[in-house]
Amino acid sequence: MPQNKPHILFLINDEHRPDVQPIEGDTAIRMPTLSRFMEEGTYFRNAYTPSPICVPARQSFLSGLYPRNCGSLNFGDPMPTEVRTIPGQLGNYGYYTCCAGKMHFVGTDVMHGWRERLGRDIVGNNGYPYPPVKDEHHAQIEREPGTGPKENKVIQEVRDAQPGLGRWMRYDKYNVDGALLFLEEYFVDATYDRPTANPLCMAVSLLAPHYPYQCPLDLFDYYMQRVEPIIEEPNKQFECDDFFRVRVNEDVTYRQAHRATAAYYGMIEWMDAQFGRVIEKLEHLNVLDDFIIVFLSDHGEMLGTKGIWEKQSFFEASARVPLSIWYPKRFGREPQIIEQNVSLVDLFPTICELAEIPAPDELDGHSLLPLIEGDATNWHDTVYSELWRAQNGPSVMVKEGSLKYFRFDNNKGWPEQLFDLSKDPDERNNLIDTPAYNDALSKLRTKASALPPPRRKDENNCFIDPHHPIQT
């Protein structure tokens, strides 16, 4: 295989609200590492998650397929092993693929195309083909009373915000430590002098800034003096599951919301510093400029917008995500911002094209290369997002141009939503009953209704139905 293939590094975080970035005008947040690559690369201002919940979002990104086509509709749904993934496809063409950190795979397949995985997220069944044993020797494990999952979880997470290194942040440090050791071995392997010749595709995937809302004390102090909580009421003509509602001065105090907001900001800066450790290692090894660096998050965080916290919403704070691509050897270091709508499913064909290897035919995504090179002539400008059994599902979002439509098919009578973000970027005015938008609404409803049904699977987690490409 030619040795001039670019190395590829995915920097992935979890639950990063898209407007909490310097490039979006937030003057409080400090993100020097990631801002560097946005300021020298391509930033996609209107990038959207295929699903605003962790597991389906990540499986869609890896597979280039929307959840209904990749077989991972819900938080606990395993993606079939037969689905091709970015690391699997690149691995077939000579790339060595390694992931350090969170992939959120569920079921028996904990690799899905990665050749090597590092860190605390590699969890699966024990793999033995025997039925579980429950005899007199079976361990009976019971939680101590008063421990375990929190009641009123979203509210309690806001109440519990505090300085400290949260559980997931400890995982992240462990994962980054492993990534640094791996990179030393891959490019030098000083002990045996056996550096790996293959091009590398690596993901460093962190959980921060996912709650619990905790961050180191110095960052907590810094942001308590610089940010305020978002205090809003839900929109009129809008409903969602009460699970996500947090009423300031009723469910939590103003100070508790303030502390959670400061901790969230601190987690983002801490996350950026962890990625900085990886970049510093690549610079030390003198290989940084040989990389394509992609930064993305799986979904956002409402953080009090519309009176809601967490994710599982199609409002911008939850459904829009940070996304940037840095590749100076091909595109130079002049910054550019792409305004067209793009989806995380578009990354699979993009990476294949940049690496000059074939992309699978069955992908739902489209290569972003024409947009990066300044040709938006044939760009469809339509993206989808979907939820299924989660609290706000089943529901679907379609965004085309500046118009965003979403609806709930849960038989609860929740009203449809239509927003024109060019005139109403804060999504306050539901246009669903506005006559001037009737034609546009009809078109978006048709697109949502034309989506194919989810592919069915058998008891072995294999597809029964063929892939039906999403028509954009």
Side-chain angles (χ1 to χ4, degrees):
M1 174 151 186
Q3 297 306 303
N4 59 355
K5 294 287 186 186
H7 301 301
I8 300 163
L9 174 64
F10 290 101
L11 300 177
I12 307 168
N13 69 2
D14 193 322
E15 206 147 326
H16 190 156
R17 183 182 168 105
D19 57 356
V20 184
Q21 301 184 94
I23 199 169
E24 292 286 348
D26 192 316
T27 57
I29 190 64
R30 300 183 296 190
M31 289 172 45
T33 302
L34 294 171
S35 291
R36 167 187 175 184
F37 296 108
M38 294 177 193
E39 292 165 2
E40 296 180 359
T42 300
Y43 175 69
F44 297 87
R45 172 148 284 148
N46 289 292
Y48 289 86
T49 181
S51 183
I53 190 170
C54 300
V55 174
R58 289 169 184 267
Q59 312 321 304
S60 290
F61 142 64
L62 279 181
S63 66
L65 302 172
Y66 282 102
R68 65 186 64 229
N69 272 333
C70 77
S72 181
L73 298 177
N74 302 289
F75 187 81
D77 286 351
M79 183 168 65
T81 297
E82 66 195 88
V83 176
R84 299 197 214 192
T85 63
I86 294 173
Q89 185 75 355
L90 267 59
N92 285 340
Y93 287 87
Y95 273 81
Y96 192 97
T97 61
C98 174
C99 174
K102 180 178 180 178
M103 279 287 108
H104 229 328
F105 295 148
V106 293
T108 56
D109 187 347
V110 298
M111 301 304 285
H112 282 294
W114 295 106
R115 181 169 179 176
E116 186 172 346
R117 291 192 61 197
L118 315 171
R120 297 293 305 276
D121 185 58
I122 310 168
V123 179
N125 297 332
N126 64 13
Y128 285 96
Y130 315 121
V133 176
K134 291 186 178 180
D135 58 17
E136 66 272 16
H137 303 290
H138 176 69
Q140 301 294 326
I141 300 172
E142 296 182 1
R143 288 188 183 273
E144 182 180 346
T147 67
K150 298 178 179 180
E151 295 184 17
N152 302 317
K153 182 178 78 69
V154 177
I155 292 171
Q156 197 60 47
E157 291 289 2
V158 178
R159 291 174 179 171
D160 290 346
Q162 60 185 294
L165 202 65
R167 176 188 183 189
W168 302 132
M169 299 171 81
R170 293 194 294 272
Y171 278 36
D172 285 346
K173 187 177 184 305
Y174 182 98
N175 297 334
V176 173
D177 288 347
L180 301 184
L181 292 171
F182 171 87
L183 289 169
E184 288 178 357
E185 293 178 4
Y186 194 87
F187 287 106
V188 178
D189 197 4
T191 304
Y192 286 99
D193 196 23
R194 297 173 186 167
T196 308
N198 301 67
L200 173 66
C201 174
M202 187 175 192
V204 178
S205 183
L206 307 186
L207 288 108
H210 191 291
Y211 53 82
Y213 304 108
Q214 290 181 254
C215 70
L217 178 60
D218 61 327
L219 297 178
F220 189 87
D221 288 346
Y222 180 85
Y223 286 109
M224 281 294 290
Q225 298 298 104
R226 288 167 175 81
V227 300
E228 296 293 336
I230 300 168
I231 310 297
E232 290 185 3
E233 294 295 325
N235 281 1
K236 295 179 181 179
Q237 285 187 283
F238 173 73
E239 292 293 339
C240 72
D241 196 281
D242 285 341
F243 179 84
F244 303 102
R245 297 180 188 268
V246 180
R247 295 163 296 181
V248 177
N249 296 324
E250 294 185 48
D251 300 314
V252 302
T253 67
Y254 180 92
R255 192 66 171 177
Q256 287 170 330
H258 187 187
R259 289 166 64 87
T261 304
Y264 179 79
Y265 269 70
M267 284 191 287
I268 289 179
E269 181 170 339
W270 183 88
M271 167 276 302
D272 185 83
Q274 299 310 304
F275 286 147
R277 296 171 62 204
V278 177
I279 299 305
E280 183 179 8
K281 177 61 69 175
L282 295 180
E283 290 177 325
H284 176 75
L285 295 168
N286 198 30
V287 295
L288 178 62
D289 284 348
D290 297 327
F291 273 83
I292 299 169
I293 296 181
V294 180
F295 166 56
L296 69 139
S297 191
D298 55 357
H299 51 72
E301 158 70 66
M302 291 300 289
L303 205 69
T305 299
K306 316 296 181 189
I308 300 168
W309 287 68
E310 229 208 66
K311 56 264 189 179
Q312 294 190 43
S313 169
F314 297 122
F315 290 115
E316 292 288 275
S318 169
R320 189 163 69 92
V321 293
L323 175 63
S324 65
I325 296 176
W326 180 87
Y327 187 13
K329 281 195 169 181
R330 177 156 183 172
F331 305 120
R333 298 178 186 269
E334 288 297 318
Q336 70 168 324
I337 295 177
I338 303 296
E339 299 288 350
Q340 284 79 8
N341 296 316
V342 304
S343 171
L344 295 185
V345 300
D346 296 324
L347 282 171
F348 194 158
T350 303
I351 292 300
C352 287
E353 188 167 4
L354 290 175
E356 297 182 341
I357 66 172
D361 293 332
E362 70 272 14
L363 300 184
D364 292 332
H366 304 269
S367 174
L368 299 169
L369 200 56
L371 292 180
I372 299 174
E373 295 180 334
D375 181 8
T377 306
N378 297 314
W379 190 252
H380 52 85
D381 209 30
T382 303
V383 294
Y384 300 91
S385 193
E386 52 189 298
L387 285 165
W388 291 89
R389 281 199 309 267
Q391 282 89 344
N392 285 341
S395 54
V396 63
M397 180 201 91
V398 185
K399 183 165 184 259
E400 186 170 71
S402 65
L403 296 181
K404 180 198 287 187
Y405 165 77
F406 58 95
R407 72 184 186 204
F408 305 92
D409 299 318
N410 54 15
N411 300 316
K412 295 182 180 180
W414 294 353
E416 297 170 286
Q417 306 291 305
L418 177 67
F419 300 99
D420 186 345
L421 297 183
S422 67
K423 300 175 181 178
D424 179 25
D426 295 326
E427 300 172 292
R428 298 185 187 278
N429 184 22
N430 185 1
L431 302 170
I432 205 71
D433 296 322
T434 304
Y437 286 86
N438 283 350
D439 289 345
L441 174 60
S442 177
K443 182 179 179 181
L444 293 172
R445 281 173 171 162
T446 298
K447 282 183 174 285
S449 298
L451 289 169
R455 297 172 71 182
R456 295 174 300 160
K457 300 185 289 185
D458 64 19
E459 65 276 6
N460 297 314
N461 199 42
C462 296
F463 285 126
I464 300 171
D465 299 325
H467 169 259
H468 297 286
I470 305 297
Q471 299 298 319
T472 54

